[in-house]
Amino acid sequence: MAKVLIATEKPFAAAAVSQIKSVFDDAGYEVFLLEKYEDKADLLKAVADVDALIIRSDKVTPEVIETGKNLKIVVRAGAGYDNVDLAAASAKNVVVMNTPGQNSNAVAELAIGMMIYQARGQFNGKSGTEIKDKSLGILAYGNVGKIVAKLGMAFGMQVFAFDPFVSAADIQKDGVEVVNSIGDLFAKCNYVSLHIPANDQTKKSINYALMSKMPAAAAVVNTARKEVIDEDGLLKMYADRDDFVYISDVAPDCAAEIAEKFPGRFYFTPKKMGAQTAEANVNAGIAAAKQIVNFLEKGDKTFQVNK
Ligand code: 3PG
């Protein structure tokens, strides 16, 4: 009987856990649940004996892979897999997958929600601004970016996108204007919403040179990863431009300095909240469970990311 560990420091909604368990019950698998753990030793202990692992932003280090002697597959229930050491997994023939698209709507709704929250002065009783008629830049045009674009258009925003990996025709068919460079995107848009993964090419790539191109009333909205922002550039942008705000899920390392020097010009979620809806948890969790069963039973490697 295959053993599966669901290890989520930030737990799924209860409905998701029960639906994940029922997929594994049908397959005759044994399920172990490790939630809200504070010590990585707890994860190491729990992973020691299992064949498969479902995680969220939980860190899968070489030590986790090494300790999971029977581990055959890790599924990151979500999109970004920068928390998984792919090289360590590949070295031990452990398949790593994500569940692309399953939590995208939740993240996109949060991006728009945070824009409105900040535009309305975080509901402080004073006159705010509207997002209608403002320009919105989407970087990049993947599962989340696409939905943010659609929602932005529904709010009457003028929407632009930049994505070197998506054809102009595929972007234009959604009614979104294509720009030819990342610099153009920042130069045109009051709001730039980030939907890039964190990797060697993108870390610290959102820098002062880009942000300083933005027109008046500039807001960078980050529901991607905090690591993609160059924080020195961010602080310089704050200092140079009193019309600039940064809205992020989650806080940058320099959050305390921003809070002290630039009050009212930021909003940071206390914990990563983008995918934290019951619907997203159910979608991503069930997808992860089915991918594990399909892999263990039929060798199906669709969605493998360490190839
Ligand atoms: C993702 O990459 O899918 C999102 O950032 C969600 O992360 P989470 O599962 O930790 O909420």
Side-chain angles (χ1 to χ4, degrees), residues 43 53 55-66 71-76 80-97 198 200 203 304-307:
L43 175 58
L53 173 63
I55 46 141
R56 298 185 62 180
S57 289
D58 307 78
K59 287 202 169 21
V60 176
T61 59
E63 198 181 5
V64 172
I65 300 282
E66 195 66 42
L71 207 52
K72 296 162 190 69
I73 177 166
V74 175
V75 181
R76 192 282 190 241
Y81 45 87
D82 47 303
N83 49 320
V84 181
D85 192 312
L86 297 186
S90 299
K92 292 279 173 189
N93 286 324
V94 175
V95 167
V96 180
M97 296 183 185
D200 290 347
K203 282 180 187 166
Q304 181 177 6
V305 294
N306 60 334
K307 341 180 221 204

Side-chain angles (χ1 to χ4, degrees), residues 27-256:
Y29 293 2
E30 198 177 353
V31 182
F32 303 88
L33 186 61
L34 175 68
E35 293 182 323
K36 293 187 191 169
Y37 58 95
E38 284 169 7
D39 194 337
K40 75 170 184 192
D42 296 336
L43 175 58
L44 293 175
K45 196 167 157 218
V47 83
D49 198 26
V50 299
D51 301 280
L53 173 63
I54 294 180
I55 46 141
R56 298 185 62 180
S57 289
D58 307 78
K59 287 202 169 21
V60 176
T61 59
E63 198 181 5
V64 172
I65 300 282
E66 195 66 42
T67 309
K69 294 271 178 263
N70 296 335
L71 207 52
K72 296 162 190 69
I73 177 166
V74 175
V75 181
R76 192 282 190 241
Y81 45 87
D82 47 303
N83 49 320
V84 181
D85 192 312
L86 297 186
S90 299
K92 292 279 173 189
N93 286 324
V94 175
V95 167
V96 180
M97 296 183 185
N98 65 350
T99 64
Q102 299 293 346
N103 59 17
S104 305
N105 189 69
V107 179
E109 285 190 12
L110 186 75
I112 298 285
M114 290 198 304
M115 282 182 217
I116 294 176
Y117 183 59
Q118 185 61 32
R120 291 303 184 94
Q122 303 185 4
F123 309 145
N124 63 3
K126 299 182 184 158
S127 288
T129 55
E130 300 179 19
I131 62 172
K132 180 171 181 277
D133 293 333
K134 306 298 185 300
S135 47
L136 168 63
I138 308 289
L139 179 75
Y141 205 70
N143 290 314
V144 181
K146 247 181 223 181
I147 303 173
V148 174
K150 190 170 155 194
L151 297 177
M153 285 189 284
F155 278 98
M157 303 182 90
Q158 193 187 1
V159 183
F160 299 88
F162 176 71
D163 191 328
F165 303 106
V166 179
S167 75
D170 277 348
I171 297 174
Q172 285 157 342
K173 76 171 168 32
D174 295 341
V176 174
E177 288 183 48
V178 176
V179 296
N180 292 325
S181 73
I182 186 171
D184 281 356
L185 191 77
F186 279 79
K188 273 188 181 345
C189 295
N190 303 109
Y191 289 84
V192 173
S193 192
L194 306 177
H195 305 292
I196 48 177
N199 56 38
D200 290 347
Q201 286 73 48
T202 62
K203 282 180 187 166
K204 292 189 188 235
S205 65
I206 308 305
N207 53 25
Y208 179 78
L210 283 177
M211 290 186 277
S212 60
K213 290 180 190 291
M214 293 179 80
V220 171
V221 184
N222 186 1
T223 52
R225 290 289 182 272
K226 72 173 181 176
E227 291 82 2
V228 302
I229 295 282
D230 172 12
E231 295 198 11
D232 290 338
L234 179 67
L235 289 168
K236 183 164 162 49
M237 186 67 188
Y238 265 111
D240 282 10
R241 293 266 303 263
D242 60 11
D243 65 317
F244 174 78
V245 302
Y246 180 53
I247 309 159
S248 183
D249 177 35
V250 297
D253 293 338
C254 62

Side-chain angles (χ1 to χ4, degrees), residues 276-300:
Q276 203 55 329
T277 66
E279 293 89 339
N281 293 170
V282 167
N283 293 342
I286 291 179
K290 288 184 174 166
Q291 287 170 216
I292 287 172
V293 174
N294 284 338
F295 171 70
L296 292 178
E297 301 304 320
K298 301 181 218 151
D300 182 348

